[in-house]
Structures are given as C-alpha cells and as structure tokens.
Coordinates of all heavy atoms in Angstrom, one line a residue:
A676 N -213.6 -12.9 101.0 CA -214.1 -13.3 99.7 C -213.2 -13.0 98.5 O -213.1 -13.7 97.6 CB -215.5 -12.8 99.4
G677 N -212.4 -11.9 98.7 CA -211.5 -11.5 97.7 C -212.2 -11.0 96.4 O -213.4 -10.9 96.4
K678 N -211.4 -10.7 95.4 CA -211.8 -10.2 94.1 C -211.1 -10.9 93.0 O -209.9 -11.1 93.1 CB -211.8 -8.7 94.0 CG -212.8 -8.0 94.9 CD -212.9 -6.5 94.7 CE -213.9 -5.9 95.5 NZ -214.0 -4.4 95.3
V679 N -211.8 -11.3 92.0 CA -211.2 -12.0 90.8 C -210.6 -11.0 89.9 O -211.2 -10.0 89.5 CB -212.2 -12.9 90.1 CG1 -211.6 -13.6 88.9 CG2 -212.8 -14.0 91.1
C680 N -209.3 -11.3 89.4 CA -208.6 -10.5 88.5 C -209.0 -11.0 87.0 O -208.7 -12.2 86.7 CB -207.1 -10.6 88.7 SG -206.1 -9.9 87.3
S681 N -209.5 -10.1 86.2 CA -209.9 -10.5 84.9 C -209.2 -9.7 83.8 O -209.3 -9.9 82.7 CB -211.4 -10.3 84.7 OG -211.8 -9.0 84.9
R682 N -208.3 -8.7 84.3 CA -207.5 -7.9 83.4 C -206.2 -7.5 84.1 O -206.2 -7.4 85.3 CB -208.3 -6.7 82.9 CG -208.7 -5.7 84.0 CD -209.7 -4.7 83.5 NE -211.1 -5.2 83.4 CZ -212.1 -4.5 83.1 NH1 -212.0 -3.2 82.7 NH2 -213.3 -5.1 83.0
L683 N -205.2 -7.2 83.2 CA -203.9 -6.8 83.8 C -203.5 -5.5 83.1 O -203.9 -5.1 82.0 CB -202.9 -7.9 83.4 CG -203.1 -9.3 83.8 CD1 -202.1 -10.2 83.2 CD2 -203.1 -9.4 85.4
Y684 N -202.6 -4.8 83.8 CA -201.9 -3.6 83.3 C -200.5 -3.9 83.3 O -199.8 -4.1 84.3 CB -202.3 -2.4 84.3 CG -201.8 -1.1 83.7 CD1 -202.4 -0.6 82.4 CD2 -201.0 -0.3 84.4 CE1 -202.0 0.6 81.9 CE2 -200.6 1.0 83.9 CZ -201.1 1.4 82.6 OH -200.7 2.6 82.1
V685 N -199.9 -3.8 82.1 CA -198.5 -4.0 82.0 C -197.8 -2.6 81.8 O -198.2 -1.8 80.9 CB -198.2 -4.9 80.7 CG1 -196.7 -5.1 80.6 CG2 -198.9 -6.2 80.8
E686 N -196.9 -2.4 82.6 CA -196.3 -1.0 82.8 C -194.7 -1.1 82.7 O -194.1 -2.1 83.2 CB -196.7 -0.4 84.1 CG -196.4 1.0 84.3 CD -197.0 1.6 85.5 OE1 -196.6 1.1 86.6 OE2 -197.9 2.4 85.4
A687 N -194.2 -0.1 82.1 CA -192.7 0.0 82.0 C -192.1 0.1 83.4 O -192.7 0.8 84.3 CB -192.3 1.2 81.2
G688 N -191.0 -0.5 83.6 CA -190.3 -0.5 84.9 C -189.8 0.9 85.2 O -189.4 1.7 84.2
T689 N -189.8 1.3 86.4 CA -189.3 2.6 86.8 C -188.2 2.6 87.8 O -188.2 1.8 88.8 CB -190.5 3.5 87.5 OG1 -191.6 3.5 86.5 CG2 -190.1 4.9 87.8
E690 N -187.1 3.4 87.6 CA -186.0 3.4 88.5 C -186.4 4.4 89.7 O -186.4 5.6 89.5 CB -184.7 3.9 87.8 CG -184.3 2.9 86.8 CD -183.1 3.4 86.1 OE1 -182.8 4.6 86.0 OE2 -182.3 2.6 85.5
I691 N -186.7 3.8 90.9 CA -187.3 4.6 91.9 C -186.2 5.1 92.9 O -185.4 4.3 93.4 CB -188.3 3.8 92.7 CG1 -189.5 3.3 91.8 CG2 -188.8 4.5 93.9 CD1 -190.4 2.3 92.4
A692 N -186.1 6.4 93.1 CA -185.2 6.9 94.1 C -185.9 7.1 95.5 O -185.3 7.0 96.5 CB -184.6 8.3 93.6
K693 N -187.2 7.5 95.4 CA -187.9 7.8 96.6 C -189.4 7.5 96.4 O -190.0 7.8 95.4 CB -187.7 9.2 97.0 CG -188.3 9.6 98.4 CD -187.9 11.1 98.7 CE -188.4 11.5 100.1 NZ -188.0 12.8 100.4
E694 N -190.1 6.9 97.4 CA -191.5 6.7 97.3 C -192.3 7.6 98.3 O -191.9 7.7 99.5 CB -191.8 5.2 97.7 CG -191.3 4.2 96.7 CD -191.8 2.8 97.0 OE1 -192.5 2.6 98.0 OE2 -191.5 1.9 96.2
L695 N -193.3 8.2 97.8 CA -194.1 9.2 98.6 C -195.6 8.7 98.6 O -196.0 7.9 97.8 CB -194.0 10.5 98.0 CG -192.6 11.0 97.6 CD1 -192.7 12.3 96.8 CD2 -191.8 11.3 98.8
Y696 N -196.3 9.3 99.5 CA -197.8 9.0 99.5 C -198.5 10.3 99.3 O -198.1 11.4 99.9 CB -198.2 8.4 100.9 CG -199.7 8.2 101.0 CD1 -200.3 7.1 100.5 CD2 -200.5 9.3 101.6 CE1 -201.7 7.0 100.6 CE2 -201.8 9.0 101.7 CZ -202.4 7.9 101.2 OH -203.8 7.8 101.3
F697 N -199.6 10.3 98.5 CA -200.3 11.5 98.2 C -201.8 11.2 98.0 O -202.1 10.2 97.4 CB -199.8 12.3 97.0 CG -200.5 13.6 96.7 CD1 -200.3 14.7 97.5 CD2 -201.4 13.6 95.7 CE1 -201.0 15.8 97.2 CE2 -202.1 14.8 95.4 CZ -201.9 15.9 96.2
C698 N -202.7 12.0 98.6 CA -204.1 11.7 98.5 C -205.0 13.0 98.7 O -204.6 13.9 99.4 CB -204.5 10.7 99.6 SG -206.2 10.3 99.8
F699 N -206.1 13.0 98.0 CA -207.2 13.9 98.2 C -208.4 13.1 98.7 O -208.7 12.1 98.0 CB -207.6 14.7 97.0 CG -206.7 15.9 96.7 CD1 -205.9 15.9 95.6 CD2 -206.6 17.0 97.5 CE1 -205.0 16.9 95.2 CE2 -205.8 18.1 97.1 CZ -205.0 18.0 96.1
L700 N -209.1 13.6 99.7 CA -210.4 12.9 100.1 C -211.3 13.9 100.7 O -210.8 15.0 101.2 CB -210.1 11.7 101.0 CG -209.3 11.9 102.2 CD1 -210.2 12.3 103.4 CD2 -208.6 10.6 102.6
V701 N -212.5 13.5 100.8 CA -213.6 14.4 101.5 C -213.6 14.0 102.9 O -213.8 12.9 103.4 CB -214.9 14.1 100.8 CG1 -216.0 14.9 101.6 CG2 -214.9 14.4 99.4
D702 N -213.3 15.0 103.7 CA -213.3 14.9 105.2 C -214.7 15.4 105.7 O -215.0 16.6 105.7 CB -212.2 15.8 105.8 CG -212.1 15.7 107.3 OD1 -212.9 14.9 107.9 OD2 -211.4 16.4 108.0
R703 N -215.5 14.5 106.1 CA -216.9 14.8 106.5 C -217.0 15.6 107.7 O -217.8 16.4 107.9 CB -217.7 13.5 106.6 CG -217.9 12.7 105.4 CD -218.8 11.5 105.5 NE -218.9 10.7 104.3 CZ -219.8 11.0 103.3 NH1 -220.6 12.0 103.4 NH2 -219.8 10.2 102.3
S704 N -216.0 15.4 108.6 CA -216.0 16.1 109.9 C -215.8 17.6 109.7 O -216.4 18.4 110.4 CB -215.0 15.5 110.9 OG -213.7 15.7 110.3
S705 N -214.9 18.0 108.8 CA -214.7 19.4 108.6 C -215.4 19.9 107.4 O -215.4 21.1 107.1 CB -213.1 19.6 108.4 OG -212.7 18.9 107.2
E706 N -216.1 19.0 106.7 CA -216.8 19.4 105.4 C -215.9 20.1 104.5 O -216.3 21.1 103.8 CB -218.0 20.3 105.8 CG -219.1 19.6 106.7 CD -220.2 20.5 107.1 OE1 -220.1 21.7 106.9 OE2 -221.3 20.0 107.6
R707 N -214.7 19.6 104.3 CA -213.7 20.1 103.4 C -213.1 18.9 102.7 O -213.1 17.8 103.1 CB -212.6 20.9 104.1 CG -213.1 22.1 105.0 CD -213.4 23.2 104.1 NE -213.7 24.5 104.8 CZ -214.9 24.8 105.3 NH1 -215.9 23.9 105.2 NH2 -215.0 25.9 106.0
I708 N -212.5 19.3 101.5 CA -211.5 18.3 100.9 C -210.2 18.5 101.7 O -209.7 19.6 101.9 CB -211.3 18.6 99.4 CG1 -212.6 18.3 98.7 CG2 -210.2 17.8 98.9 CD1 -212.6 18.7 97.2
V709 N -209.6 17.4 102.0 CA -208.3 17.4 102.7 C -207.3 16.8 101.9 O -207.5 15.7 101.2 CB -208.4 16.7 104.1 CG1 -208.8 15.2 104.0 CG2 -207.1 16.8 104.9
M710 N -206.1 17.4 101.8 CA -204.9 16.9 101.0 C -204.0 16.2 102.1 O -203.7 16.8 103.1 CB -204.3 18.1 100.3 CG -203.0 17.7 99.6 SD -202.4 19.0 98.5 CE -202.3 20.4 99.6
V711 N -203.7 15.0 101.8 CA -202.9 14.2 102.7 C -201.6 13.7 102.0 O -201.7 13.3 100.8 CB -203.7 12.9 103.2 CG1 -202.9 12.2 104.2 CG2 -205.0 13.4 103.8
G712 N -200.5 13.8 102.7 CA -199.2 13.4 102.1 C -198.2 13.0 103.1 O -198.3 13.3 104.3
S713 N -197.3 12.1 102.7 CA -196.2 11.7 103.5 C -195.0 11.4 102.7 O -195.1 10.9 101.5 CB -196.6 10.4 104.3 OG -195.5 9.9 105.0
S714 N -193.8 11.7 103.2 CA -192.6 11.4 102.6 C -192.2 9.9 102.6 O -191.2 9.5 102.1 CB -191.4 12.2 103.2 OG -191.3 12.0 104.6
Q715 N -193.0 9.2 103.4 CA -192.8 7.7 103.6 C -194.0 7.0 102.9 O -194.9 6.5 103.6 CB -192.7 7.4 105.0 CG -191.6 8.1 105.8 CD -191.6 7.8 107.3 OE1 -191.7 6.6 107.6 NE2 -191.4 8.8 108.1
G716 N -193.9 6.8 101.6 CA -194.9 6.2 100.9 C -194.7 4.7 100.7 O -193.8 4.1 101.3

C-alpha cells in the first residue's frame, strides 16, 4: 500500500568518508536494551 509523502526535509550535503550503522532497541528475549552497531552502514 505504501505511504504518501506530505512533507520534505531539505538537508545540507555531507562529504562522507565512511558510513556506519548504529541502533538501540529493546531485546525482549534478554529483557535488556541492546546496542547494535556495524562498520558497514
């Protein structure tokens, strides 16, 4: 079904040397917050 775009965010361009991935989420199995990251974002 998708989602309709009704607003935009205009952002300054960035000179990227490296992209990473970073996240916090609730891990229900361990009943903890888990911090997740990767050097390959």
